[in-house]
Amino acid sequence: MTRTRLYRNGSLILEDFPTADISEYVNDPDVAVWLDLCDPCSADFAMISEEFGLHELAVEDARHEHQRPKLDRYRTHAFLSAYAISADETGGQLTASELSVFITPTALITIRPDHRFDIEKVVERWDNNSDLAKYGVGFLLHGLLDHIVDGHFAAVQDLDDRIEAVEDLLFDEGREQMDSVQRDSYALRKNLTRLRRVVLPMREVVNSLLRRDLHVVAEPLLPYYQDVYDHVLRATEWTESLRDMITSIMETNLTVQGNRMNLIMKKVTSWASIVAVPTAVTGFYGQNVPYPGVNTHVGFLTSTGVMVVASGLLYWVFKRKDWI
């Protein structure tokens, strides 16, 4: 599937025109062409390589998925690889949608391997900021990056909320809560690792675009790109703090489990000590030798009294020391 748009002097004049007509516009310095390819085939890559004169290494990177977020510069264009992040509302699982972007002086080419990346949100952002369309490709690229970075920020915030929910369960009693904390903390750490791989490299990507020698961002657009860069920095710093929070949760969970185990051991030892008293008394009276009170009611009552008093005394002492 392909989508096209043509801006001339800041106005949208054509949309969804045939890709065969692109060659008529790309050499005009007053236009900005957007071409979107979803699940492209070999013929699509051959077409854009010929129409826009793209470097073979950049085209190869766009063909192969799982690229690292980056910005590569070539003589006539730049290649950008980025990921949009979305979170499952029920399970909190993060999903990354890869996006490859070719940036030329008069065209922005977006390549999506599947439909997970919602390009309609980007188009809506362009339409809502049409007053910036006069800045051409820089305007299109800003809307795309702004949408991606906002998604990163939302994912970080969602992860923060889930971490706080796990923190609230740390000191709850019950086997289910303990299992939930352990399971969720490991899942959160896995999601955070995936998020950091996407968010952290974007700092260098946006910073490179702000360089004046790249000639992609016009002077009036610099404050808008700087705003995107600030959001990237905030998301980056937030992910680092979340990593510390998850580490703290896992360490605290181990400490709480250790304390609970120590408490259980104290209780078991205390009850074993109490039970040992009647065992010792009955063992003594069970000897096959004469002793005071043997075969009499007085001896039975004496042994019973010793067991009750000694066990009660031990229970009172252990209770006072909070061992039971």
Side-chain angles (χ1 to χ4, degrees), residues 52-241:
F52 298 97
L54 304 178
H55 197 280
E56 58 181 6
L57 292 179
V59 176
E60 183 179 357
D61 286 343
R63 282 176 176 268
H64 297 88
E65 298 182 25
H66 310 299
Q67 297 290 326
R68 182 180 183 274
K70 61 179 181 177
L71 179 69
D72 293 334
R73 299 175 57 187
Y74 297 92
R75 186 176 61 85
T76 60
H77 62 279
F79 173 76
L80 184 148
S81 178
Y83 290 83
I85 295 291
S86 58
D88 182 14
E89 294 183 358
T90 56
Q93 182 70 24
L94 294 182
T95 303
S97 305
E98 188 171 0
L99 183 71
S100 300
V101 183
F102 291 97
I103 308 164
T104 75
T106 58
L108 184 77
I109 308 164
T110 55
I111 298 177
R112 298 175 291 143
D114 47 51
H115 293 275
R116 289 183 299 173
F117 183 88
D118 191 1
I119 198 67
E120 292 298 330
K121 296 290 184 63
V122 180
V123 174
E124 181 180 350
R125 190 166 299 224
W126 288 339
D127 293 339
N128 292 336
N129 297 277
S130 57
D131 55 317
L132 300 177
K134 57 186 176 183
Y135 301 115
V137 175
F139 152 73
L140 298 175
L141 182 60
H142 169 264
L144 178 64
L145 289 176
D146 197 30
H147 172 69
I148 292 175
V149 173
D150 284 351
H152 294 174
F153 207 81
V156 174
Q157 187 172 12
D158 179 75
L159 202 58
D160 189 10
D161 294 339
R162 296 183 185 275
I163 291 175
E164 290 182 356
V166 173
E167 284 180 329
D168 295 337
L169 297 176
L170 269 177
F171 300 100
D172 288 350
E173 297 292 339
R175 182 66 183 178
E176 293 183 359
Q177 284 78 2
M178 294 173 59
D179 292 342
S180 178
V181 169
Q182 187 171 0
R183 182 176 57 253
D184 292 346
S185 59
Y186 276 99
L188 288 170
R189 188 174 68 172
K190 183 178 180 180
N191 281 337
L192 181 60
T193 300
R194 184 182 294 113
L195 185 61
R196 291 181 74 252
R197 291 174 183 170
V198 171
V199 172
L200 266 62
M202 287 300 294
R203 177 172 54 186
E204 183 61 29
V205 169
V206 180
N207 187 44
S208 298
L209 288 172
L210 288 171
R211 295 174 54 181
R212 299 178 185 275
D213 58 342
L214 195 59
H215 304 298
V216 172
V217 181
E219 187 76 25
L221 284 178
L222 286 178
Y224 297 94
Y225 276 83
Q226 186 63 51
D227 180 67
V228 174
Y229 183 66
D230 291 341
H231 287 176
V232 171
L233 288 181
R234 290 179 59 191
T236 300
E237 294 171 355
W238 204 347
T239 55
E240 293 299 323
S241 65

Side-chain angles (χ1 to χ4, degrees), residues 6-8 13-14 17-33 47 50-52 106:
L6 176 65
Y7 292 85
R8 184 186 297 275
I13 60 174
L14 284 177
F17 58 89
T19 56
D21 298 342
I22 290 179
S23 56
E24 301 178 8
Y25 308 112
V26 292
N27 294 322
D28 187 346
D30 295 328
V31 305
V33 176
M47 181 270 295
E50 179 181 357
E51 291 287 350
F52 298 97
T106 58

